[in-house]
Amino acid sequence: MRKLLITVFIFASLGAVAQNMTYENQFSRPLGVVLNEIQSRFHVRLKYDIDTVGKILPFADFRIRPYSVEESLTNVLSPFDYKFVKQRSNLYKLKNYEYPRRTDEDGMKMLTYLKTLYSNKETWEKRRACLRGEVREKLGLDAIMKQRVNTKPILSKIRKFDGYTVQNFALETLPGLYVCGSIYTPRFRGKHALIICPNGHFGGGRYREDQQQRMATLARMGAICVDYDLFGWGESALQVGASAHRSSAAHIVQIMNGISILDYMLAARKDIDTDKIGVNGGSGGGTQTILLSVLDDRYTAAAPVVSLSSHFDGGCPCESGMPVTLACGGTNNAELAATFAPRPMLIVSDGKDWTHSVPTLEFPYLQYVYSFYGAKDKISNVHLAKEGHDFRINKRTAVYDFFISAFSLDRSKLDEKRVTIEPEIAMYSFGAEGEKLPKTAVHSFQQLTQFFPKGRYEAIVSDTKLEKKASDWVASLDLRDKKKSNFVRTTILNHLRKVRDWHNEHPYTTVPEGMNPLTGKPLTILDRSMIADSSIPADAHDRLMKGLNRALTPEQVEQILDKYTVGKVAFTMKGYHAIVPDLTVEEAATILSNLKQAREQAIDYKRMKQISAIFEIYKTKCEQYLNQNGRNWHQLYKNYVNKIKAEKAAKKAQSK
């Protein structure tokens, strides 16, 4: 049996050697060491959300400014694309650089610069034309729109309520890909306003109570409202997986979906007043609201809620994944919103997220652009300084008031108590598990990659494969509690991603060549890759085990660990019983304990060769134990091999 003599001690010692390398004339030092010294020197605490393992900082001490911890942190972190965020007077959180997130001061500087580009309607409209064209180009919208299909949507039966009806729809956009949502319609005849309502990142998606309240109340007052899932959320996740949402593909597909839904509604319905077409969403739905208002000239009123900012483009790649804010030399969501002038627009902001600056920064800028048309009264802001990032009653009331004014809705029908909150299952087109999906439907994100440039979404394909693996493992437990099931799946998925990313970002080449002190032979590539992977932060393992033990029974935890290691504990234990037929209860318990230790250590490695190598270490330990317990492992194994050979020979002789 091959023995891979790599121990935790080798991992630690060689990892330390790798981290303490210095280079001639560069005054290099490990990043982690420098950050520790900054903590001591300036008497601050650093909270880590970054990886410092193996990171070597050139000219390290020359970056320190003895008079400023913040300048020192900036100088030390910037070579690695890291940044800090001050959380308290002596606490700083270290994070990866976030390209869509800037500061209020950055937003102010950008808006000041943008105002130098236009000073009247004529110069502004030239800028607006540039923005509309380049945003479309940078989004890659035309290429995806050319691949749309034109099929009849799948419609549910109409459900009737107090003053409104609801009908589910599933609209095929790309071949086999559906966007699902609900159409809320007033229960009185006549021409109605139409409001397209892209969903945002609020828990529960479009099925949540406040979403249903808003859709139904607007419908009761006289507006047809259409809401729909985010890409990779709700029923869309059944087709492409939840991981697909955090991608630039979602940025493109969601806008395509919004345009396609409006196309369908205008073509299919005769009860729509085309002079009254609105768009309204909150959070990520607010970002979509702005982008749809830029790209689709059919809208006549818009209301982005808790989203608009000059210094934040949206933290999800579904909002900022494509480089739309690089259009025309650089722009931001405030300027993109301004392209809607002079049509009515409401900005709803609050005091506890990135929209806190709207009253003093973004709103005055929008008034400046609207003034080119003599339409400052058409742009409004409801700022809720004591509220946070949500779509609660005060935000909804602001939206109701705006559309009552913009579209002459019937205020007398404004009564959320008349709304029936439906169970989530009632709003599905394809069933809770996707059992009603058409046979031609897409069943993985990988099937969609043909519609995008080759190779662009390999990382997302990998994520969706891990997501499926986590889902399959959890499904094998047959948990009846959906909340618990989702928690366990997320816990496993986060760990699988961490292990994969650590492995990919720390190849064997990060460990220097050297000799294995236990064998006297050069370290193999496998040895070096295991040393690199062994330096994964302990909290990755701890979070997984803590999460599993919190939600599952000990037996269920073992089932999951067996999934990670393809059942190696049971398989190997069976081998020991075969090789040592008279294995005692005590011996079996000791061997099983060793194998379970191997299993738990092995889950933090990506490759099956690495997992097998970990088991080899513990199998060696088991064999040494048997020898110390009066057994002769070498002879036992030889006897077992001879027995197998004899049985094969006898079987072969019988067949002749």
Side-chain angles (χ1 to χ4, degrees), residues 186-231:
R187 288 193 70 176
F188 57 88
R189 293 177 180 274
K191 290 282 189 177
H192 303 299
L194 170 66
I195 306 175
I196 302 297
C197 300
N199 189 31
H201 295 106
F202 298 113
R206 68 179 181 85
Y207 315 103
R208 65 189 192 277
E209 181 175 319
D210 66 78
Q211 179 85 350
Q212 294 189 51
Q213 287 172 325
R214 177 164 52 99
M215 298 296 99
T217 300
L218 287 167
R220 280 175 45 79
M221 292 192 292
I224 299 170
C225 291
V226 185
D227 68 350
Y228 53 98
D229 290 325
L230 291 161
F231 182 70

Side-chain angles (χ1 to χ4, degrees), residues 158-178:
I158 295 174
R159 304 183 295 282
K160 298 179 180 180
F161 300 104
D162 184 350
Y164 69 99
T165 65
V166 185
Q167 183 177 38
N168 304 335
F169 71 90
L171 180 66
E172 188 176 15
T173 51
L174 295 176
L177 180 69
Y178 292 84

